[in-house]
Amino acid sequence: MPNSVALLADVHAVLPALRAVLAEPEVADADAVVLLGDLASGPQPVETLDLLTGLGERAIWISGNGERELVELARGHRIDAPDEISAWAAGQLRPDQVELLAALPLTGTVRVSGLGDVLCCHATPRDDLEMALVDSSVARWQEVLAGVPEPVRTVACGHTHMPFVRLVDRRTIVNPGSVGMPYGSIGAHWALLGGRDQPSISLRRTEYDAGAAAEEIITGSAFPDIAAWVDFFVRAPASDLEALETFRPKA
C-alpha cells in the first residue's frame, strides 16, 4: 500500500511545468504518481508523454476527455476538434502513443496509507467532461458521486484546473488543479496524499520561471499559433473567477 501518492492533472503538454513538478522531492520520492488526464492536448505532446512514460510502474494513468479526443482525432474518427491545438497535437503523436492513450481507463482506485481506497477520475467518476465545481451544491455532488462504492471516502478529480479540497456528505473531494494550465494563479499545481508520519491531503504549487518556460515552448513547439497560446495560458492565465463564471452554466 503506497504511503505517499502525488496527484497530477491537466498537464496539457506544457513540458517545463511538468518537469518542475516531477523535480519536486516529494513527487520524486512518492510511491505512486496518479495522472488524472488531459496530459497531452497542448504544445509539446510527444515530449510530455515520453517524460511521463519514464515514470514506469510508479505511474497510474487515467484517461480524460483530452485523451479520448486525441485518440478520436488521430484515428480519423472525429473531425470537429474542441480547439486548434488539440487537432494539431493529435497529428504529432506516434502510433505507440495513440495506443497508450486509447487503452487508459476512465477511473482507477489506489489504496493510500491512512486514507484507504481513493477513487481517481478526470472530471467525475461517471463522465470525463462533467462539471462539478468547488462551490457546486452538495446535491450536485451527491448526484455525480451516486455510483461510487460506499467504502470509498476520498475521490480525486481534475478537469476544472482549479485546486480545492472539500467535504461532501462524509466524502472528501480533492482536485489538485492544473500542472500546465492553471486558473487563478501562476505556477504548476498538484497534490500530495498520505505520508508516513501523518496521513493527509495537501495541495501544492510549484513555482517556475513562466517567462523562460514560454520562450522554451515557443522555440520547441511547431504549433502555428504558439506565441498567442503561450501568452494566454502560460504568461497570463485566466483568474479563478473568470473560469468559474465560464464553467458554472455547465455545472
Side-chain angles (χ1 to χ4, degrees):
M1 179 186 302
N3 285 300
S4 63
V5 173
L7 298 178
L8 279 58
D10 298 284
V11 176
H12 282 282
V14 178
L15 189 63
L18 176 61
R19 283 203 312 262
V21 170
L22 294 180
E24 289 279 14
E26 289 175 305
V27 177
D29 293 340
D31 299 311
V33 179
V34 179
L35 308 171
L36 294 171
D38 280 18
L39 306 171
S41 47
Q44 296 167 293
V46 172
E47 301 89 338
T48 294
L49 290 178
D50 281 344
L51 183 56
L52 290 173
T53 54
L55 294 172
E57 294 184 358
R58 283 206 305 145
I60 299 171
W61 298 67
I62 302 296
S63 179
N65 60 289
E67 283 68 40
R68 174 174 51 78
E69 291 157 357
L70 287 178
V71 171
E72 291 170 349
L73 290 164
R75 290 178 170 176
H77 299 162
R78 177 174 182 162
I79 58 173
D80 57 328
D83 48 55
E84 292 182 1
I85 202 164
S86 292
W88 174 85
Q92 307 305 304
L93 298 180
R94 300 190 306 264
D96 63 294
Q97 293 177 323
V98 175
E99 293 305 311
L100 168 68
L101 299 185
L104 297 184
L106 295 176
T107 65
T109 300
V110 57
R111 181 163 293 180
V112 184
S113 179
L115 296 174
D117 287 345
V118 177
L119 179 65
C120 302
C121 60
H122 176 64
T124 71
R126 64 184 187 178
D127 192 304
D128 64 18
L129 269 175
E130 190 171 33
M131 286 285 180
L133 305 173
V134 61
D135 59 354
S136 292
S137 68
V138 170
R140 170 61 175 163
W141 276 105
Q142 288 175 320
E143 175 190 354
V144 302
L145 299 178
V148 175
E150 183 60 30
V152 173
R153 296 290 93 193
T154 306
V155 176
C157 59
H159 192 50
T160 64
H161 296 212
M162 291 174 286
F164 67 84
V165 177
R166 69 166 288 181
L167 193 64
V168 177
D169 192 19
R170 301 183 182 181
R171 279 197 173 105
T172 300
I173 314 300
V174 54
N175 187 321
S178 173
V179 171
M181 290 171 55
Y183 297 145
S185 67
I186 60 173
H189 294 258
W190 54 285
L192 188 69
L193 305 183
R196 289 169 175 81
D197 298 325
Q198 184 176 358
S200 64
I201 299 172
S202 178
L203 297 177
R204 304 298 179 90
R205 180 172 67 90
T206 297
E207 295 185 3
Y208 67 98
D209 189 331
E215 293 306 316
E216 177 186 334
I217 295 168
I218 290 172
T219 301
S221 176
F223 177 58
D225 201 20
I226 189 60
W229 191 94
V230 163
D231 282 342
F232 186 84
F233 290 111
V234 178
R235 287 197 174 103
S239 75
D240 54 325
L241 293 180
E242 292 171 321
L244 285 170
E245 287 305 310
T246 298
F247 293 155
R248 193 164 284 122
K250 302 176 183 179

